[in-house]
Amino acid sequence: MYIFIIIFPFIGFLLAGGLGKYFGREGSAILSTFGLLLTLITALLCFYEVALCNTVISINIYTWVLLDIYNINIGLLFDTITVTMVLVISSISFFVHLYSIAYMSHDPHISRFMAWLSFFTFFMLILVTSDNYFQLFLGWEGVGLCSYLLINFWFTRILANKAAINAMLVNRISDVFFTLAIIIIFITFKSTNYNVVFNLIPMVANDKIIFLNILINRLDIIAFFLFIGAIGKSAQIIFHVWLPLAMEGPTPVSALLHAATMVTAGVFLVIRSSIFMEYSNTVLVLLCIFGSITAIFSGIVATFQYDVKRIIAYSTCSQLGYMFFSCGLSNYNVAFFHLFNHAFFKALLFLSAGALIHALFDEQDLRKMGKLLWGLPLIYIAMIIGSLAILGFPFFKWILL
């Protein structure tokens, strides 16, 4: 049952991408959406068994590389963190697929679009269900590739080309540090498996290594490199420039990237690697500094924007800043709770913005909008609910749970 969570989106990708010309535009969209529906149903069953019944499932699928000192295993780990992320990803992705059937109905390349959405979901599920850092890195790079393809979906637009390249290059910078973290983890523990690494961490708590001719604690440098990789993927200050530009892609892409999937991968990495962070006071301080600055800076920048999608994008940066700040205070449960909430109300805001843009003939400038309550009451109410939820208004977050 657990393996099907990953298999269903991949089958949807193959059917829509490889056989799309045989199924047609509508058929490809329906098949890929049905694959995500099956994934969501399976995710609900897994959530019940793991989270509600307090069990942990570990599945070793096969050995990929067998060496004298290192084995690369492909395996799945389902604990409470994983099944919660799987539930969020599968539910948001399913609704984005369903929304895209109508939103992209006029586009002649909807089969390609739906295939890439499913492929993106497949890699994100690989990322959160992996039981080792190497497999997590495969999913990490896979969502980066798919984000490039989705942002650049309308490849005849110069702005879309530039935005996709910008996102790819900025993320590659932080991914270099993530790669270095994995290499040092392997050198230190002779494994990248979570269970092995996390159990051996106390044994190397006082080890020192020479980095750039400086003697530094081994766990400090690992935590720092993981931190850089996380803030790059989650578009924190310095690395934040790619996220607003990603608005050049179709609105369903914005909902998928900003809500439940790619940008939350950095927060997921910090929470999954929280034991490294707890052994490094320096990185905890950096999490607080970068998170708080990003939250304030992005919120201020958003007030000077007129593009409705860019306002929501900067809001995403700000909300992710709150999550990193919470992790810096060692309140990982609070950060994870906010990640769960944020996925749903941010998806609501983006999908409502897409419906608003369609209704106004592709107009995105807020200065040209007004008095939409009577003309578009459902969209108006949905955006009010999402806005109150993102404000933390009492009771409104629970509406979306």
Side-chain angles (χ1 to χ4, degrees):
M1 176 178 70
Y2 293 88
I3 299 178
F4 288 139
I5 288 178
I6 297 174
I7 291 177
F8 286 140
F10 187 68
I11 293 176
F13 159 71
L14 292 179
L15 292 177
L19 303 175
K21 64 179 180 179
Y22 300 107
F23 293 113
R25 294 164 57 200
E26 293 79 9
S28 300
I30 292 172
L31 284 173
S32 59
T33 305
F34 183 69
L36 266 296
L37 176 61
L38 295 177
T39 304
L40 175 57
I41 294 172
T42 309
L44 289 169
L45 296 175
C46 295
F47 183 83
Y48 170 77
E49 185 172 351
V50 174
L52 301 183
C53 298
N54 295 318
T55 60
V56 177
I57 306 296
S58 181
I59 304 172
N60 186 15
I61 299 176
Y62 71 97
T63 300
W64 189 4
V65 177
L66 181 61
L67 299 174
D68 291 337
I69 61 172
Y70 182 50
N71 298 333
I72 301 178
N73 294 320
I74 299 298
L76 304 178
L77 175 65
F78 288 88
D79 56 8
T80 304
I81 297 175
T82 299
V83 293
T84 305
M85 286 296 296
V86 167
L87 181 61
V88 170
I89 293 167
S90 57
S91 58
I92 298 297
S93 185
F94 167 68
F95 288 118
V96 169
H97 275 72
L98 191 64
Y99 178 90
S100 300
I101 294 177
Y103 189 90
M104 302 293 292
S105 60
H106 64 284
D107 197 292
H109 305 293
I110 186 174
S111 297
R112 175 164 56 92
F113 181 77
M114 301 300 283
W116 287 346
L117 284 182
S118 296
F119 205 37
F120 183 96
T121 306
F122 165 74
F123 275 120
M124 193 64 202
L125 291 171
I126 288 288
L127 190 157
V128 300
T129 59
S130 61
D131 66 350
N132 61 84
Y133 280 105
F134 185 83
Q135 188 177 333
L136 184 150
F137 186 71
L138 291 180
W140 188 275
E141 291 301 304
V143 294
L145 169 64
C146 293
S147 68
Y148 172 84
L149 297 173
L150 287 168
I151 294 170
N152 198 29
F153 176 73
W154 289 318
F155 53 84
T156 56
R157 299 174 56 183
I158 300 299
L159 290 178
N161 301 155
K162 292 182 177 180
I165 293 173
N166 181 286
M168 178 66 76
L169 292 179
V170 171
N171 278 276
R172 292 296 74 73
I173 295 172
S174 61
D175 289 352
V176 170
F177 290 90
F178 187 24
T179 306
L180 291 174
I182 296 174
I183 292 172
I184 299 175
I185 288 172
F186 166 66
I187 293 173
T188 303
F189 303 103
K190 301 300 185 289
S191 175
T192 58
N193 185 276
Y194 296 150
N195 291 331
V196 175
V197 172
F198 295 161
N199 284 305
L200 293 178
I201 283 178
M203 299 178 64
V204 298
N206 298 318
D207 285 6
K208 307 287 184 179
I209 62 173
I210 297 177
F211 182 76
L212 297 178
N213 208 27
I214 300 173
L215 190 64
I216 190 171
N217 187 283
R218 188 184 298 267
L219 295 184
D220 278 341
I221 196 66
I222 293 174
F224 176 73
F225 285 164
L226 290 173
F227 161 75
I228 296 296
I231 65 173
K233 187 68 75 175
S234 292
Q236 295 300 282
I237 194 74
I238 299 175
F239 295 100
H240 70 283
V241 293
W242 71 268
L243 196 56
L245 296 178
M247 297 299 98
E248 295 301 327
T251 301
V253 173
S254 303
L256 197 61
L257 294 182
H258 294 70
T261 52
M262 182 173 172
V263 293
T264 57
V267 180
F268 172 79
L269 177 63
V270 171
I271 295 173
R272 176 61 79 189
S273 306
S274 58
I275 187 168
F276 281 113
M277 308 301 167
E278 289 302 304
Y279 275 91
S280 177
N281 291 328
T282 302
V283 173
L284 289 177
V285 172
L286 288 175
L287 283 169
C288 289
I289 293 174
F290 274 77
S292 58
I293 292 176
T294 305
I296 296 172
F297 171 78
S298 300
I300 294 173
V301 172
T303 60
F304 293 92
Q305 301 296 313
Y306 298 109
D307 188 313
V308 62
K309 289 174 64 176
R310 288 206 175 192
I311 292 173
I312 304 175
Y314 278 110
S315 166
T316 299
C317 294
S318 180
Q319 296 298 311
L320 291 168
Y322 290 126
M323 298 177 204
F324 278 101
F325 180 75
S326 182
C327 289
L329 297 177
S330 299
N331 292 324
Y332 301 99
N333 57 334
V334 176
F336 196 58
F337 177 73
H338 187 49
L339 186 155
F340 184 88
N341 284 324
H342 174 266
F344 292 97
F345 61 65
K346 189 52 61 71
L348 173 64
L349 285 172
F350 266 113
L351 297 181
S352 300
L356 175 65
I357 293 168
H358 255 222
L360 298 179
F361 304 100
D362 296 328
E363 181 57 63
Q364 297 182 206
D365 194 331
L366 285 178
R367 293 170 294 182
K368 300 179 182 179
M369 302 179 189
K371 298 183 179 180
L372 300 176
L373 174 59
W374 305 114
L376 304 169
L378 294 179
I379 297 175
Y380 186 91
I381 293 172
M383 296 199 76
I384 287 294
I385 293 174
S387 300
L388 290 174
I390 205 170
L391 285 170
F393 197 79
F395 309 112
F396 271 86
K397 280 191 176 182
W398 297 103
I399 291 177
L400 303 179
L401 293 180

